[in-house]
Amino acid sequence: MSATVKGELIAADSVMCRVRAGSRDEVLKLAADHLKQAGYVTDGFFQALLKRENMFPTGICFGDTCVAIPHAEPGFVRKPVMLIMTLERPVRFVNMEDCEAEIPVEIVFVLAFTDSEKHLNVLQRLSALIRDSGTAAALREAVDQEELREVLRHSELAEFWRD
């Protein structure tokens, strides 16, 4: 099964709203722990996320919205998922376009795929979502999990929603 099959990647338990974190590493740890507890990933996912983020930074800005799209090797993934996490306050991530600079990330999309070749469609949809300033603002401004879920259900990522 492809990692981009309709209804496969986003579920109620893969959305986290207004998370408090003080650093990039804390964001990655919270995400990995959440995904592990929900049964999506195995032990080692956090270390794999951290290692890859150190080698290939994933922070990127589109207009007023700065996001990070961390991911790890498929060997640590039990079931494909995309975790969407909004942050209460921006956290510094290294800019993928300038590894000497950090940017204030407000939204994190953690990709956990069982096949690293099947993510192109997801990245294209993510890019469209982030470039849509109205949707990006709605994601940033969501006050709770349900509001964030509703924004996602009506966004470029809607086809990946699993109810």
Side-chain angles (χ1 to χ4, degrees):
M1 183 185 287
S2 158
T4 59
V5 171
K6 182 177 179 172
E8 187 178 293
L9 292 177
I10 306 169
D13 65 354
S14 66
V15 176
M16 299 174 73
C17 187
R18 298 212 172 259
V19 173
R20 290 182 185 183
S23 69
R24 176 202 72 174
D25 292 4
E26 186 178 357
V27 168
L28 297 178
K29 178 75 169 133
L30 289 167
D33 287 351
H34 182 84
L35 291 174
K36 183 176 179 243
Q37 183 177 358
Y40 291 106
V41 301
T42 64
D43 287 333
F45 186 73
F46 167 65
Q47 289 302 324
L49 271 180
L50 191 58
K51 179 180 178 183
R52 190 172 192 302
E53 190 69 28
N54 286 332
M55 291 173 51
F56 305 104
T58 64
I60 189 165
C61 291
F62 295 97
D64 293 338
T65 303
C66 294
V67 304
I69 310 171
H71 48 284
E73 297 304 315
F76 297 99
V77 180
R78 288 186 174 140
K79 183 177 178 183
V81 67
M82 179 184 344
L83 175 75
I84 297 96
M85 175 190 290
T86 61
L87 303 174
E88 187 173 273
R89 291 186 195 95
V91 171
R92 311 295 291 178
F93 274 72
V94 175
N95 186 345
M96 75 167 55
E97 296 175 331
D98 176 2
C99 293
E100 301 298 316
E102 292 184 339
I103 57 172
V105 166
E106 299 173 275
I107 307 170
V108 180
F109 299 92
V110 179
L111 306 180
F113 295 152
T114 53
D115 184 340
S116 60
E117 300 298 316
K118 306 279 186 185
H119 65 282
L120 184 57
N121 187 31
V122 174
L123 292 175
Q124 289 171 337
R125 295 296 180 131
L126 270 177
S127 177
L129 173 117
I130 298 161
R131 290 176 194 275
D132 177 343
S133 60
T135 302
L139 289 172
R140 286 193 314 268
E141 295 165 7
V143 296
D144 60 28
Q145 304 279 95
E146 190 51 43
E147 189 175 334
L148 185 56
R149 289 182 194 118
E150 276 306 302
V151 173
L152 291 165
R153 282 187 183 109
H154 296 93
S155 75
E156 288 287 333
L157 300 178
E159 75 178 81
F160 302 118
W161 192 265
R162 174 177 59 235
D163 282 312

